[in-house]
Amino acid sequence: MKTGDSGSPQRTSSRVPSVTSSKIKLGAFGRARKAGCERNVASALLQQRQALRIVRENVDVTPKPLVDAAFGTIDENQTTALETIGLFQTGSGSQLTASPSRISNLRTSSSALLKTFSTDDLQMESLLSTQVCGLLPTEEDEDAAPPPFFLPSDHSVVFATRPETVTITLKETQTFLVFEMPQMTEDLRTPEGQAVEQANENYEYVTVGPGSSRKLLDVETQTIRVLTKSRGTYCGLRPRRNQGTFVNNWVMHDTYVAPELMVERDGLLVVHTKESMRRMREAQELRYKLPEPETTPDRSPEEQLSRICRETGFLDAARVMERIIANNVFVEAQKRFTGLTKRDPCALDLKFDYRLDLLWTFACEMVHDRPVAAFRWSPANANILAVAYGAKTGSDRPDGVLLIWCAKNPSQPGREYTFDSPLSDIDWSKERPNLLAIGFYDGSVRVVDVSVKKVNIIRQSRRETSAACSPHWQVQWWSGDEQFDYQEQIYTSDQDGRIFCYRLGEDFFATEIMRLYRVEGKLSGVSRTDHCVAYDVPISRQPAALILRRHPVVSNVYLVGSDEGCIYRCSTNYLRQHVDSFVAHDGPIYSFEFSPFCQKLFLTCGADWCIRIWADGLTEPLITLSTAMACVRNACWSPTCSTIIASVVNDQICVWDIHRKTHTPTSVTISTNGARLVAADFTANGNQLVVADVGGVVYVYNLEGMPFPPYDQTKVLIESVHKALATKPELLRKLKKLGPPF
């Protein structure tokens, strides 16, 4: 038998002696040799196939071999027992044995096993099924087949050269405090321990020692909680009356024989007819589901869809879906608006630069190019903003629009109300947050309920009960006194210089409580520009009442600012006559606001380019702030920091900090659209500043880089005022005479 031509170099090509005279049949040996020949043929076919190349559209797309060229393949031809032994020796008794050198080689090979075949004519040692080794395999040793390839250890691609030096960078991770138990004892030999001992001695001295003023007992006690009331209350009896009716036995039988027609309400049984009960059940079933589209042939699908879109349930579901979609766009800004995302007070890059970061804008096509007359945040819900839109001078649109925006969906308004006259001012009710008072340019006042989508007018002024026919520049809810049964009333100020009080009754009657007259002669306050009035004949003797503010301490005192720059101090106890007045600006007054931390200080801004801070009781301004030669449309105090003031001038948003400097603002932000700004106000938490312009856009800015609020806000504010009056000792002396907190 001839061995394979492609055998391993370690094999010895030899011929096996003929064994035809023996009685043994080497069938297995023949099959093994046959398989070896088949593998040689397969290897030749594989080499021939690898020589072929496949080219498609001038691109070589020949599949790559499964085994990388870096791996050296082991020959697939397995060494048979006779080829490994190579030389067989024939001994007595027809016994075939191998040479000792071949046996030693077999001990180092793991490709064959040693087994002895014995017959009558032939005994032969073969390496076909038994492994020759020094020790028998144990359970831990696995008899694994050799891999089909091996990896050279000196391959430069697979085994890259190891660098001589390796750089390892160690960084400190964030420390998470899981548990902390503060130390309750101190070492007596340390200064901390001596301080604790001294504190204990002082405590014993003032409690049980000579310094104690009363006797103390260290025992457990239990006090019975007794609920008491300071005064007695009397609730009058509800009026009662007798009501007679006639019922016979048949009526009672018909009533109680059908219990499904009876409904219990407030502890009483109410009997309904079959028809009314059916309508009640149908209304209850259809209350929380959309109506089924009608399939009548006289209505097209467009008409059915239009009818569904007008349903309240569908509109509510669409509004919720719009908020969910808007959350994907404004989620980060909404987190900053609500205070979920705040700056790190311990950040190393923290700077007090008083900058404004735009979160979003409230704008839609419906109010494009309409000036914003006023906006107010809801006192009950910090996410709801009511915005009143007027009309430009000379515009062909005489109507007005009121939009209710929500921070949950800055892209679309939650409520849209249209009126036949431009709006001038709005204000929320404190007792009933769903009511909104609206003033119009035609002199009317309305109270609407914003809890429904359609316009629901609760109260409306009429010509018979209200004599106002000019724009109401201020509309405010004031809590009533004993005269009005402690109910809220609506106070307004109009272009004719009159102050009205509207009683929230069925008639909505208006009472004129004050009428202003133009300033004549010289008044205390700032100096005004002298006008030549030799041939000047004024058309109206009443100036416009642009500003109306109630005193924060004295409930019956209110202040009015006119378009002449004069501030009138009035009282509800003296009708049509003011108590005092002084000149605050050389021109119209656009804003008037008391400080939330010191109610004796207030600021004003006007058309004479200035913002002035006043003290209640002095007619000389304490601090004057000015930037450009343009009117200051609005100014307001920060509700969280007593020394920060925000103002708008043209398209600039100025942030002042009088604790740092008063000659220039700490930061100036230019409006995004470049339109003229008309209103500004802080949110209730003081983290955002809301600004509106004449184009109908409302901007919501987040305050970044603001200083930390001081512990004693009033003290810091008074110190800042004293610092600004260092060059005015006479005015500072007058200020201190006003008493605390000055």
Side-chain angles (χ1 to χ4, degrees):
M1 183 179 291
K2 187 177 180 180
T3 60
D5 297 335
S6 60
S8 175
Q10 296 180 357
R11 301 174 182 174
T12 304
S13 177
S14 61
R15 293 183 180 273
V16 181
S18 177
V19 291
T20 58
S21 60
S22 62
K23 299 179 181 180
I24 230 174
K25 295 181 180 181
L26 300 177
F29 181 77
R31 286 192 299 270
R33 296 295 299 157
K34 184 178 180 180
C37 295
E38 292 176 356
R39 284 191 297 269
N40 294 337
V41 174
S43 300
L45 292 177
L46 182 61
Q47 294 177 1
Q48 183 180 1
R49 188 179 66 179
Q50 291 179 353
L52 298 177
R53 313 301 297 176
I54 301 174
V55 179
R56 181 179 179 181
E57 297 179 359
N58 298 330
V59 178
D60 189 358
V61 294
T62 305
K64 296 183 180 180
L66 298 178
V67 181
D68 193 86
F71 300 96
T73 58
I74 300 177
D75 195 354
E76 295 180 356
N77 295 332
Q78 302 294 333
T79 306
T80 61
L82 297 179
E83 290 176 349
T84 306
I85 295 174
L87 180 61
F88 293 89
Q89 298 178 0
T90 306
S92 59
S94 301
Q95 184 178 5
L96 188 62
T97 59
S99 62
S101 61
R102 289 296 180 182
I103 294 297
S104 63
N105 292 335
L106 290 176
R107 292 181 181 276
T108 61
S109 176
S110 62
S111 64
L113 303 175
L114 182 61
K115 193 174 184 181
T116 303
F117 299 91
S118 63
T119 61
D120 297 339
D121 299 334
L122 176 63
Q123 288 186 353
M124 178 178 65
E125 290 183 355
S126 176
L127 301 177
L128 294 176
S129 60
T130 307
Q131 181 179 2
V132 179
C133 57
L135 299 175
L136 292 177
T138 60
E139 296 181 358
E140 291 81 9
D141 300 333
E142 296 182 1
D143 187 11
F149 51 85
F150 70 95
L151 185 64
S153 60
D154 57 347
H155 197 276
S156 60
V157 177
V158 180
F159 297 97
T161 304
R162 179 177 299 176
E164 297 181 358
T165 59
V166 178
T167 303
I168 300 176
T169 304
L170 301 179
K171 296 184 178 180
E172 183 181 359
T173 60
Q174 184 179 359
T175 302
F176 295 94
L177 185 61
V178 179
F179 176 76
E180 180 183 6
M181 179 178 290
Q183 184 179 357
M184 304 300 296
T185 60
E186 295 288 348
D187 190 359
L188 189 59
R189 293 171 295 181
T190 60
E192 293 79 6
Q194 296 176 3
V196 172
E197 182 183 14
Q198 183 64 28
N200 294 339
E201 293 177 358
N202 295 338
Y203 180 79
E204 293 180 358
Y205 177 81
V206 298
T207 54
V208 299
S212 61
S213 59
R214 57 182 177 177
K215 186 177 181 180
L216 301 179
L217 298 178
D218 188 9
V219 294
E220 296 181 357
T221 61
Q222 183 176 4
T223 305
I224 300 177
R225 184 178 182 182
V226 180
L227 301 178
T228 60
K229 55 184 179 179
S230 59
R231 63 176 63 180
T233 57
Y234 172 75
C235 296
L237 295 178
R238 298 181 61 183
R240 298 182 179 181
R241 66 176 181 175
N242 297 328
Q243 182 70 27
T245 183
F246 174 78
V247 178
N248 55 19
N249 294 335
W250 296 107
V251 175
M252 291 188 294
H253 177 270
D254 295 340
T255 300
Y256 290 97
V257 79
E260 66 274 5
L261 300 179
M262 294 183 294
V263 178
E264 185 177 358
R265 185 178 301 169
D266 298 335
L268 301 177
L269 292 178
V270 181
V271 183
H272 295 268
T273 61
K274 293 183 178 180
E275 184 65 21
S276 63
M277 183 64 70
R278 184 183 62 82
R279 291 196 302 266
M280 184 186 303
R281 290 175 180 174
E282 290 179 356
Q284 187 175 4
E285 292 177 358
L286 298 177
R287 183 177 181 181
Y288 298 105
K289 67 179 182 180
L290 293 175
E292 297 182 359
E294 298 180 2
T295 58
T296 55
D298 56 343
R299 286 197 175 186
S300 62
E302 291 77 7
E303 294 178 352
Q304 297 178 13
L305 182 60
S306 177
R307 186 177 61 85
I308 293 176
C309 292
R310 292 192 297 269
E311 296 292 335
T312 304
F314 178 81
L315 296 177
D316 293 340
R319 183 176 68 254
V320 174
M321 185 57 62
E322 288 178 353
R323 290 180 179 180
I324 295 175
I325 297 175
N327 182 258
N328 298 330
V329 181
F330 301 98
V331 58
E332 295 298 332
Q334 289 172 344
K335 288 181 180 179
R336 297 171 62 186
F337 179 81
T338 56
L340 296 178
T341 303
K342 297 182 180 180
R343 63 173 180 174
D344 185 10
C346 301
L348 298 178
D349 57 346
L350 183 63
K351 295 181 180 179
F352 296 149
D353 50 1
Y354 301 83
R355 72 180 186 277
L356 301 180
D357 189 8
L358 182 63
L359 297 181
W360 61 73
T361 59
F362 291 123
C364 63
E365 188 64 25
M366 182 179 182
V367 294
H368 177 66
D369 204 22
R370 285 179 176 268
V372 177
F375 61 83
R376 298 289 184 273
W377 288 98
S378 173
N381 193 336
N383 297 324
I384 297 179
L385 177 67
V387 184
Y389 300 87
K392 284 189 175 181
T393 304
S395 175
D396 56 350
R397 295 184 296 184
D399 58 342
V401 179
L402 172 66
L403 298 183
I404 308 297
W405 295 90
C406 183
K408 297 179 180 179
N409 184 13
S411 59
Q412 293 293 334
R415 296 283 190 273
E416 300 176 0
Y417 303 113
T418 305
F419 301 95
D420 54 358
S421 176
L423 281 69
S424 57
D425 194 25
I426 57 176
D427 192 26
W428 293 94
S429 173
K430 280 71 176 177
E431 296 180 356
R432 285 160 288 187
N434 61 315
L435 299 183
L436 189 67
I438 308 174
F440 294 89
Y441 270 73
D442 59 358
S444 62
V445 177
R446 300 175 187 177
V447 179
V448 298
D449 184 6
V450 299
S451 60
V452 294
K453 297 187 68 68
K454 296 183 180 179
V455 179
N456 184 17
I457 300 177
I458 305 299
R459 295 289 185 270
Q460 182 176 1
S461 63
R462 295 175 298 178
R463 293 299 181 187
E464 296 81 4
T465 58
S466 176
C469 57
S470 58
H472 291 278
W473 299 121
Q474 295 283 283
V475 177
Q476 298 176 5
W477 291 82
W478 290 1
S479 59
D481 50 11
E482 186 178 359
Q483 177 185 359
F484 302 105
D485 297 333
Y486 301 99
Q487 294 182 358
E488 280 187 323
Q489 309 299 321
I490 298 177
Y491 288 79
T492 65
S493 63
D494 62 1
Q495 180 67 25
D496 294 336
R498 292 180 292 186
I499 311 299
F500 290 95
C501 174
Y502 289 83
R503 298 198 61 178
L504 202 63
E506 294 183 359
D507 55 353
F508 203 54
F509 186 79
T511 304
E512 181 181 333
I513 63 174
M514 183 62 191
R515 189 160 190 173
L516 305 180
Y517 291 93
R518 293 196 176 275
V519 176
E520 296 180 358
K522 185 174 181 60
L523 294 180
S524 59
V526 299
S527 58
R528 297 193 303 167
T529 304
D530 294 333
H531 300 279
C532 181
V533 294
Y535 304 99
D536 187 9
V537 179
I539 298 177
S540 174
R541 296 294 300 168
Q542 285 76 32
L546 303 181
I547 298 298
L548 176 64
R549 288 293 181 272
R550 192 178 190 181
H551 199 279
V553 178
V554 186
S555 60
N556 61 342
V557 174
Y558 61 94
L559 296 100
V560 182
S562 67
D563 59 353
E564 292 182 322
C566 185
I567 293 181
Y568 299 86
R569 185 183 182 93
C570 308
S571 175
T572 56
N573 299 331
Y574 302 95
L575 302 181
R576 300 178 182 85
Q577 183 178 0
H578 63 273
V579 179
D580 193 8
S581 63
F582 67 94
V583 179
H585 292 272
D586 188 12
I589 299 177
Y590 294 128
S591 180
F592 185 104
E593 186 173 346
F594 283 91
S595 173
F597 299 98
C598 182
Q599 298 173 347
K600 289 187 177 182
L601 293 178
F602 60 91
L603 64 81
T604 60
C605 68
D608 57 351
W609 320 331
C610 296
I611 305 171
R612 292 187 173 94
I613 299 178
W614 306 80
D616 191 9
L618 295 180
T619 58
E620 298 181 46
L622 304 179
I623 301 175
T624 301
L625 310 175
S626 180
T627 55
M629 298 175 64
C631 64
V632 183
R633 290 293 304 178
N634 206 327
C636 53
W637 295 91
S638 172
T640 56
C641 191
S642 59
T643 60
I644 292 180
I645 299 173
S647 62
V648 290
V649 179
N650 288 340
D651 61 342
Q652 300 179 357
I653 307 172
C654 304
V655 179
W656 302 80
D657 190 354
I658 60 177
H659 183 62
R660 297 182 60 181
K661 52 187 175 181
T662 58
H663 62 280
T664 181
T666 53
S667 69
V668 178
T669 304
I670 306 299
S671 175
T672 305
N673 297 342
R676 182 168 55 89
L677 304 175
V678 294
D681 193 11
F682 287 93
T683 55
N685 56 9
N687 297 329
Q688 289 80 31
L689 180 65
V690 186
V691 182
D693 61 8
V694 294
V697 183
V698 180
Y699 309 87
V700 180
Y701 290 94
N702 196 65
L703 300 176
E704 300 290 344
M706 305 300 289
F708 300 112
Y711 177 75
D712 193 346
Q713 299 269 20
T714 306
K715 180 180 179 181
V716 175
L717 176 60
I718 299 305
E719 290 178 354
S720 303
V721 174
H722 288 178
K723 179 181 177 181
L725 296 178
T727 58
K728 301 178 181 179
E730 186 65 25
L731 182 58
L732 180 59
R733 184 179 59 83
K734 294 180 181 180
L735 179 64
K736 292 182 178 180
K737 284 185 177 181
L738 297 178
F742 303 113

